[in-house]
Amino acid sequence: METLGHWINGKRVEGTSGRFADVYNPATGEVQARVALASKDELDAAVDAAAAAQPKWAATNPQRRGRVMMEFVRLLNRDMDRLAEALSREHGKTLPDARGDVTRGMEVIEYCIGAPELLKGEFTDGAGPGIDMYSMRQPLGVVAGITPFNFPAMIPLWQMGPALASGNAMILKPSERDPSVPLMLAELAQEAGLPDGILQVVNGDKEAVDAILDNETIQAVGFVGSTPIAHYIYSRAAANGKRAQCFGGAKNHMIIMPDADMDQAADALVGAGFGAAGERCMAISVAVPVGDETADRLIEKLVPRIEKLRVAPYTDGEDVDYGPVVTKAAKERILSLIESGVQQGAKLVVDNRDFKLQGYENGFFVGPHLFDHVTPEMDIYKEEIFGPVLSTVRTGSYEEALKLTMDNEYGNGTAIFTRDGDTARDFASRVNVGMVGINVPIPVPLAYHTFGGWKKSAFGDLNQHGPDGFRFYTRTKTVTERWPSGLKEGGEFHFKAMD
Ligand code: NAD
């Protein structure tokens, strides 16, 4: 069986802690590899090597760093199928979805080719007599990224792009559930010209994460994962004086107005609710029809679409709708939440609790489920299920639907389906959620905008990628310079306003 180690100083190395985690093939339920879990000492050594390599990389001009990004994009395209296959094998998502995972990450690397433009500072000519003032953006030094299982290519790439293009060295601690792709990304970055030591992939669990949080050299931590861990990492990183941006879980609502095109809304809901088995932080997990008549029409359209979904392993062809969930524990948790929904009085309109896939009885497959008449007190409403389960909460008015969305503790994404521009504008303006779709169910911003939720979906004050990515991974230094001409003045002892 394959043992996956770490990527340190430009090569794969074995772990030395003696601790390992199993890596599953979620479609078969078999352990296909094991991954080393780093100790604090291994993490600290990786950081020391990164710190030694970083000044030279920071001194490389940004255009050259941008060219490494350009070559990286070419290599990601070259190896797209290989990356997607490795990703699907460990994560379980379909091959087209795995290619999407790599592509949406690669688009951020593409954006980072423009590092020279994005890192340009500000300059004021003649801020005072003979005085100029300029601000420059400088890298932080060594930064760290801690990433979740559900986008093993996209999220590491979202962090690597701006972190590396800005001149930092980076420690990447990927999810221990699907570590192969992050290691492959590091190999490709090296092939693209990234110097050794600038990207260190350290696999591990809480021990490695805590070592990151307590390491004095690491200046900033980017985290993506569940809300309790996001909050923990934000608090401990901040207590240790680090910059932190920590993105957490979600419960994304989609409001369906009576005037919406119901076929379009149903198609959108099925894709956004069940794609990737619901294991997306931008998945729609709550449908909020306005009015009973709208709800009835929506359910009528949803049921046949959901019953037709093809749930199968990625190896079964490009027309598979979604694959297994990531672990047996995830499957059991989802099934027990479904049970709680039934117990607590929601109506299970599409019931696949006994779903089995012939030949894959040990795989972590969960059939699609649709609930109607869900209320906000139920566990299936309160918990992020992160599985193929769509809950319908009926509301009596637009204001009630908006309030439901706003009262939810999460604020990652939301959508409204309507033909009325006035309602759509009002929703976009008032809703307290970071990413809003209007007749678009999964409004993930493109690389040159920024990605981030509100409320308990994000801790920290800057978003991922786009201009915010470069702000997060750099700090500003402002220089006031004078090249006096003529008479020299004596010392000045008061805080001076510019003449
Ligand atoms: P997770 O929180 O379990 O793990 C994320 C990372 O934290 C992993 O690298 C893991 O090793 C580490 N970790 C786990 N437990 C830890 C602990 N006790 N102490 C320190 N580190 C720990 O999340 P996951 O299950 O891998 O990913 C799914 C979650 O991520 C969902 O909640 C999803 O909504 C969220 N997510 C959010 C976004 C976003 O942008 N907001 C994007 C993708 C996923």
Side-chain angles (χ1 to χ4, degrees):
M1 194 196 314
E2 190 185 9
T3 298
L4 298 157
H6 314 292
W7 176 265
I8 305 291
N9 300 335
K11 53 180 184 297
R12 287 192 187 236
V13 301
E14 287 179 13
T16 58
S17 72
R19 293 196 310 124
F20 298 91
D22 289 335
V23 179
Y24 288 86
N25 177 339
T28 61
E30 285 161 7
V31 175
Q32 56 174 323
R34 56 179 201 158
V35 61
L37 302 174
S39 65
K40 180 178 185 318
D41 288 348
E42 287 174 286
L43 187 282
D44 287 343
V47 174
D48 289 347
Q54 189 264 340
K56 191 166 171 213
W57 174 240
T60 304
N61 78 52
Q63 205 168 1
R64 286 182 189 277
R65 294 200 302 261
R67 283 185 197 138
V68 172
M69 297 292 134
M70 190 150 70
E71 178 63 1
F72 193 18
V73 169
R74 190 184 73 78
L75 298 176
L76 289 166
N77 275 312
R78 183 195 71 186
D79 286 8
M80 179 66 74
D81 290 341
R82 195 172 69 89
L83 289 161
E85 203 278 332
L87 199 158
S88 293
R89 192 165 9 100
E90 285 182 357
H91 177 285
K93 64 175 76 173
T94 66
L95 280 173
D97 207 28
R99 284 194 286 270
D101 190 328
V102 180
T103 303
R104 286 308 285 266
M106 185 178 69
E107 286 171 3
V108 169
I109 305 296
E110 237 166 43
Y111 175 75
C112 294
I113 296 171
E117 173 69 19
L118 291 155
L119 292 168
K120 262 192 326 203
E122 296 169 335
F123 184 83
T124 302
D125 176 32
I131 296 179
D132 303 325
M133 196 176 283
Y134 60 94
S135 301
M136 45 189 168
R137 305 211 66 93
Q138 296 194 323
L140 303 175
V142 182
V143 300
I146 301 162
T147 55
F149 82 83
N150 68 327
F151 282 102
M154 182 181 83
I155 293 179
L157 289 167
W158 282 8
Q159 296 176 342
M160 283 160 63
L164 300 177
S166 298
N168 298 286
M170 180 177 173
I171 309 294
L172 173 64
K173 204 303 285 171
S175 170
E176 61 274 44
R177 310 216 186 291
D178 41 18
S180 284
V181 170
L183 289 166
M184 291 163 77
L185 295 177
E187 274 169 350
L188 291 180
Q190 182 198 45
E191 192 183 340
L194 191 73
D196 294 349
I198 296 301
L199 174 64
Q200 314 271 55
V201 182
V202 180
N203 281 307
D205 56 2
K206 182 169 167 54
E207 183 172 340
V209 171
D210 287 348
I212 287 173
L213 298 174
D214 293 342
N215 183 291
E216 288 187 2
T217 303
I218 292 176
Q219 299 295 305
V221 180
F223 171 86
V224 181
S226 59
T227 287
I229 311 296
H231 190 255
Y232 163 72
I233 288 180
Y234 182 68
S235 312
R236 187 151 164 180
N240 287 335
K242 299 185 197 314
R243 190 178 285 201
Q245 56 170 201
C246 300
F247 299 92
K251 195 81 186 175
N252 303 315
H253 294 49
M254 177 169 137
I255 297 178
I256 302 97
M257 295 298 293
D259 66 352
D261 176 325
M262 220 43 75
D263 284 300
Q264 190 199 12
D267 283 341
L269 265 173
V270 172
F274 298 96
E279 289 177 322
R280 288 182 184 139
C281 68
M282 289 291 277
I284 294 287
S285 49
V286 187
V288 190
V290 172
D292 272 332
E293 203 229 318
T294 313
D296 293 342
R297 281 194 292 142
L298 181 70
I299 297 283
E300 195 186 305
K301 300 267 184 200
L302 281 173
V303 171
R305 285 168 164 83
I306 295 172
E307 284 173 343
K308 267 209 316 258
L309 288 175
R310 187 154 175 252
V311 184
Y314 75 93
T315 42
D316 264 23
E318 301 265 323
D319 63 338
V320 174
D321 290 310
Y322 73 83
V325 299
V326 68
T327 55
K328 188 160 185 264
K331 174 177 173 169
E332 284 165 1
R333 180 177 170 276
I334 294 164
L335 291 175
S336 95
L337 275 162
I338 293 168
E339 217 52 59
S340 82
V342 175
Q343 298 301 320
Q344 292 169 19
K347 188 170 167 205
L348 190 52
V349 187
V350 178
D351 180 355
N352 274 307
R353 280 175 289 176
D354 55 2
F355 183 86
K356 288 259 173 335
L357 203 58
Q358 218 185 350
Y360 294 92
E361 286 79 4
N362 295 324
F364 312 139
F365 291 94
V366 181
H369 292 78
L370 174 66
F371 276 108
D372 195 1
H373 298 285
V374 174
T375 59
E377 305 74 41
M378 295 176 182
D379 290 337
I380 49 169
Y381 179 78
K382 287 190 288 195
E383 298 276 322
E384 181 187 35
I385 303 177
F386 226 52
V389 183
L390 183 62
S391 298
T392 310
V393 181
R394 294 177 173 231
T395 52
S397 66
Y398 164 68
E399 286 297 334
E400 198 188 319
L402 176 64
K403 183 169 182 323
L404 180 82
T405 309
M406 293 184 64
D407 286 350
N408 193 274
E409 63 177 341
Y410 295 110
N412 215 37
T414 186
I416 188 165
F417 275 62
T418 179
R419 287 192 175 97
D420 182 52
D422 181 29
T423 311
R425 279 195 80 231
D426 184 79
F427 182 69
S429 154
R430 284 167 67 198
V431 74
N432 57 358
V433 171
M435 293 169 282
V436 180
I438 295 170
N439 299 317
V440 172
I442 307 192
V444 176
L446 289 175
Y448 43 95
H449 287 266
T450 72
F451 179 107
W454 288 14
K455 298 185 276 182
K456 286 193 177 157
S457 293
F459 305 94
D461 60 0
L462 286 169
N463 280 354
Q464 299 197 85
H465 65 65
D468 270 11
F470 279 81
R471 287 186 198 113
F472 181 74
Y473 291 109
T474 56
R475 59 188 140 212
T476 307
K477 184 184 281 174
T478 305
V479 180
T480 306
E481 68 174 13
R482 174 159 68 173
W483 298 102
S485 55
L487 285 177
K488 307 276 184 280
E489 293 165 15
E492 284 165 11
F493 298 96
H494 58 279
F495 201 48
K496 204 169 181 315
M498 289 295 174
D499 296 325

